[in-house]
Amino acid sequence: MKALVETIAKSLVDDPSQVQAAEEMEEDTLVIKLTVAKEDMGRIIGKEGRTAKAIRTILNAVSTKDNRKAILKIVE
């Protein structure tokens, strides 16, 4: 799932070398923390958060298929 989020983020930003994703477990939930360059933060969040919501929807679909719970945190 980490690789999926990184791939999506790298295709959206101007500086793909700054994209980093890290996985952590909090209780029974997989937390994916996404870090991008400050200049690309708007591209990842999108207008009214639509892009971030779309990434979270894809992540939710994949995690549900694997019978897991996953959330995405975008780190500034």
Side-chain angles (χ1 to χ4, degrees), residues 21-74:
E23 290 181 336
E24 294 180 7
M25 287 299 293
E26 290 181 8
E27 297 177 17
D28 62 340
T29 303
L30 176 67
V31 178
I32 299 177
K33 294 185 178 182
L34 178 65
T35 307
V36 297
K38 187 176 181 180
E39 302 81 34
D40 291 325
M41 192 63 70
R43 292 182 184 272
I44 292 295
I45 295 172
K47 287 186 180 178
E48 298 179 4
R50 289 186 185 142
T51 305
K53 184 177 178 182
I55 296 170
R56 287 184 174 111
T57 301
I58 293 168
L59 182 62
N60 187 32
V62 172
S63 66
T64 302
K65 182 180 174 187
D66 292 341
N67 292 324
R68 299 172 76 185
K69 185 175 180 184
I71 59 173
L72 174 68
K73 289 186 179 179
I74 301 171

Side-chain angles (χ1 to χ4, degrees), residues 3-19:
L4 173 67
V5 172
E6 278 185 344
T7 303
I8 293 170
K10 285 181 180 181
S11 67
L12 294 173
V13 299
D14 285 334
D15 188 4
S17 65
Q18 295 291 319
V19 174

